[in-house]
Amino acid sequence: MSHETVYAELTDWIKRVHALGSVGELLAWDEQVNLPPGAAEQRASQLAALAGAQHAAASDPRIGAWLTALEGEAASLTADQKAVVKNARRDFDRATKLPEEFVREKAAQGSRGYHAWARAKAGDDFASYAPVLARNLELAKREAGYLDWAGREYDYMVDKHDPGMTAAVIGGLFDELKRDLVPLVKAIAASKLKPRSDALRGFPIDGQRAFLREVTQRLGFDYDRGRIDVSLHPFCTGTGSDVRMTTRFKEDEPLDSLFSAIHETGHGLYEQGLRADQLGTALGIHAGMAVHESQSRLWENQVARSRGFWRCFEPRLRELFPRQTQGVSSDELYLAINAVTPTLIRVDADEVTYNLHIILRFELEKKLFTGALAIGDLPAAWRESAEGLLGLTPPNDREGVLQDVHWSDGAFGYFPSYCLGNMLAAQLWYRALSLRPDLEKDFAGGDFTWLLGWLRENIHAQGRRFDALQLARRVTGEELSPRHLVRYLRERYGRLYGAEGEKGWVERAEG
Ligand SMILES: [Zn+2]
């Protein structure tokens, strides 16, 4: 058989495995959006049956034979084919190297872990949760061992979410970011300028829904190939021609639903921009969580918190909500959109302090994996870090170490992606601005096509040919660096809050 025939067989099979997985995603979406309350058990068994079928397909021995044949003929493969084979090998190893018994044990522990966490959080009882964390840590290390990452267990966890990334690289980037960010947050906290927390109240849900639909459509989300619904926690799933986003609505927090929707739109635009004929192969799958998050953050923050964006949409907001916006000046609105208030809770954090929440988790995770930190000492270590980074001390573990769900099912190594995504978003933003300095004027005129086209070509259409570090290098001409994020935060927030030794509202004066 020629290697072209083998390659065609492999990719057909990969696409089929991906199609099975996407059915599971659809069922999971439906569970969050539509499921009747009495159907939870039935849905769980549907999902389990499907996961079994998908795992069987993903670990089919023929894949191994195809891969071995293609790897033996690497010299005759194109660069794209090599990328596809490399990613397929990664997936195949992960599907086949974990003993079945281990996979079952981990799934059961994940479900137990979630309930133990929920109970511990409700009762502010870390001690009852500590054995679960110990077990999850042990399972994570065992998993790394099965996949030949023994001795580099935390790197394995990081690589799982962000192929090619390592704890050492992240540590270097975060140290640099921390050095500049901690003083900026302190300066903003000391600013006399305070956002009015009561500025926006009583926005009817129907109007909010209409507004965010207009906004996300204008940004480029294709509603012929996707939709938006309501769920408890906003998310985005699906890919290619069927992307499902969600948001949530609160009458007194219209910016929450809008910015959640814009964030998910960034994810959705990425998925809609993948090559539809290659879904599931390295040519038609996202490059990892950091790159995914760079897309959601770029649209949410650099674009939708800009002056240009609001020049376009503020008149429409006032038109739809004349009574609610009557007593709110343009400057007050813009400050509410760019409110910075340090908080103990990651999910409530603004985009400046958010990064410090991530650094805190990364540093603790890393120490848990090396053994430098014992699980029993975690609550105290958390308090100490929160004090040092955020200037706030959690009064209890509910607002400290127990606040996040991630570790309860062993999702270590996931947090850094959020902050790496913020870094990459800022770096991409300045590159885009250097190519098109009038980008914000485009936005003011309601035109987002240049930016989307540029991202489509340079990020979305690239699939997983390159990892986050390679993409940063290729698209921006330099290594991934926190200095662009620091520059962006200083330019937007330092100026706005007068925290850079200038008067507040400098942005307004500059028009
Ligand atoms: Zn996201």
Side-chain angles (χ1 to χ4, degrees):
M1 247 192 313
S2 77
H3 73 267
E4 288 297 343
T5 314
V6 177
Y7 180 78
E9 289 192 334
L10 173 72
T11 49
D12 279 353
W13 194 264
I14 294 172
K15 290 174 196 172
R16 188 176 150 153
V17 174
H18 180 264
L20 279 170
S22 71
V23 175
E25 282 185 0
L26 204 54
L27 285 176
W29 166 85
D30 179 74
E31 185 174 12
Q32 303 289 320
V33 172
N34 292 316
L35 200 73
E41 290 267 317
Q42 197 168 317
R43 178 53 44 91
S45 59
Q46 289 168 327
L47 281 165
L50 195 71
Q54 194 198 4
H55 183 259
S59 53
D60 191 299
R62 281 173 297 175
I63 302 175
W66 291 326
L67 285 173
T68 306
L70 290 167
E71 285 159 351
E73 287 201 64
S76 34
L77 299 181
T78 65
D80 277 359
Q81 289 174 329
K82 278 184 197 152
V84 168
V85 168
K86 183 180 167 202
N87 194 55
R89 165 60 72 189
R90 173 188 161 93
D91 288 345
F92 183 67
D93 284 352
R94 283 173 199 216
T96 53
K97 287 194 171 177
L98 300 178
E100 238 182 276
E101 196 193 294
F102 173 80
V103 173
R104 261 202 305 276
E105 193 183 340
K106 207 185 149 204
Q109 172 67 13
S111 158
R112 269 198 304 273
Y114 174 80
H115 294 292
W117 166 74
R119 269 196 310 273
K121 188 178 175 184
D124 191 31
D125 177 15
F126 179 81
S128 73
Y129 181 51
V132 173
L133 272 184
R135 184 89 181 114
N136 286 352
L137 192 61
E138 186 203 325
L139 288 173
K141 287 181 179 173
R142 260 171 69 195
E143 184 179 322
Y146 288 128
L147 285 152
D148 309 319
W149 288 74
R152 296 176 297 153
E153 286 88 356
Y154 188 60
D155 277 343
Y156 166 75
M157 298 311 290
V158 166
D159 183 272
K160 227 175 138 171
H161 306 102
D162 277 308
M165 195 62 72
T166 66
V169 170
I170 298 172
L173 294 170
F174 283 9
D175 281 347
E176 199 183 330
L177 179 63
K178 188 164 70 169
R179 202 188 54 214
D180 292 329
L181 205 50
V182 171
L184 180 62
V185 167
K186 284 209 175 100
I188 291 175
S191 167
K192 287 194 181 64
L193 198 61
K194 300 288 176 207
R196 269 181 60 192
S197 58
D198 64 340
L200 304 168
R201 289 275 185 263
F203 283 61
I205 306 298
D206 282 350
Q208 288 194 47
R209 188 178 280 123
F211 183 59
L212 74 79
R213 167 102 185 191
E214 274 177 40
V215 170
T216 53
Q217 200 155 16
R218 189 65 79 82
L219 294 178
F221 188 80
D222 179 357
Y223 278 96
D224 281 338
R225 300 193 299 137
R227 49 183 291 139
I228 187 161
D229 293 271
V230 172
S231 67
L232 195 56
H233 301 289
F235 66 95
C236 178
T237 188
T239 188
S241 308
D242 190 1
V243 174
R244 310 289 175 105
M245 316 190 284
T246 68
T247 188
R248 59 185 166 201
F249 291 102
K250 292 173 208 156
E251 290 203 341
D252 294 337
E253 290 178 43
L255 295 175
D256 177 70
S257 65
L258 178 68
F259 279 93
S260 295
I262 295 173
H263 178 95
E264 301 310 333
T265 296
H267 286 305
L269 290 172
Y270 188 8
E271 292 291 337
Q272 286 185 335
L274 295 171
R275 274 181 61 178
D277 62 334
Q278 289 290 342
L279 296 181
T281 80
L283 308 180
I285 194 168
H286 66 81
M289 291 321 299
V291 180
H292 229 307
E293 207 59 27
S294 79
Q295 300 304 289
S296 56
R297 301 294 171 123
L298 193 148
W299 289 99
E300 177 191 358
N301 296 329
Q302 276 81 13
V303 175
R305 295 186 202 277
S306 70
R307 284 283 189 191
F309 178 96
W310 284 96
R311 283 209 178 87
C312 171
F313 287 111
E314 186 185 332
R316 183 63 181 139
L317 184 78
R318 291 186 184 277
E319 189 176 36
L320 281 166
F321 305 99
R323 194 171 49 78
Q324 293 82 353
T325 54
Q326 205 173 26
V328 185
S329 73
S330 289
D331 287 337
E332 281 171 337
L333 176 65
Y334 193 64
L335 192 59
I337 287 159
N338 289 291
V340 177
T341 320
T343 156
L344 285 164
I345 308 299
R346 177 184 62 86
V347 296
D348 295 336
D350 55 80
E351 69 158 326
V352 186
T353 47
Y354 191 92
N355 300 292
L356 298 176
H357 288 267
I358 298 305
I359 292 172
L360 179 153
R361 286 154 179 77
F362 165 75
E363 289 177 346
L364 296 180
E365 277 189 343
K366 208 171 58 171
K367 284 187 195 156
L368 284 178
F369 272 81
T370 60
L373 177 65
I375 284 174
D377 297 331
L378 199 48
W382 188 290
R383 280 194 292 275
E384 195 183 320
S385 276
E387 175 68 45
L389 289 169
L390 302 164
L392 300 169
T393 309
N396 51 53
D397 290 334
R398 242 195 336 256
E399 293 166 73
V401 67
L402 288 171
Q403 65 181 273
D404 294 311
V405 66
H406 300 56
W407 293 343
S408 76
D409 77 339
F412 302 104
Y414 187 94
F415 286 118
S417 307
Y418 296 118
C419 185
L420 294 168
N422 282 336
M423 281 184 203
L424 183 57
Q427 193 160 332
L428 291 171
W429 173 247
Y430 284 112
R431 178 65 184 152
L433 274 180
S434 74
L435 297 169
R436 194 171 172 90
D438 282 343
L439 209 42
E440 276 207 43
K441 280 194 187 139
D442 288 0
F443 298 170
D447 183 357
F448 301 90
T449 52
W450 185 89
L451 182 63
L452 180 57
W454 183 74
L455 292 170
R456 281 270 143 91
E457 184 187 334
N458 290 287
I459 305 284
H460 307 176
Q462 299 302 326
R464 193 170 283 188
R465 285 187 185 90
F466 311 106
D467 63 34
L469 295 173
Q470 291 168 325
L471 272 175
R473 215 174 287 139
R474 289 178 61 92
V475 183
T476 70
E478 57 176 302
E479 297 296 322
L480 183 63
S481 158
R483 67 190 181 85
H484 306 280
L485 178 59
V486 170
R487 174 185 167 192
Y488 159 75
L489 295 173
R490 279 186 182 146
E491 283 181 3
R492 178 156 296 164
Y493 295 93
R495 282 181 186 177
L496 191 56
Y497 287 84
E500 289 295 289
E502 299 172 68
K503 227 171 139 272
W505 293 116
V506 169
E507 272 202 31
R508 179 182 57 178
E510 285 174 350

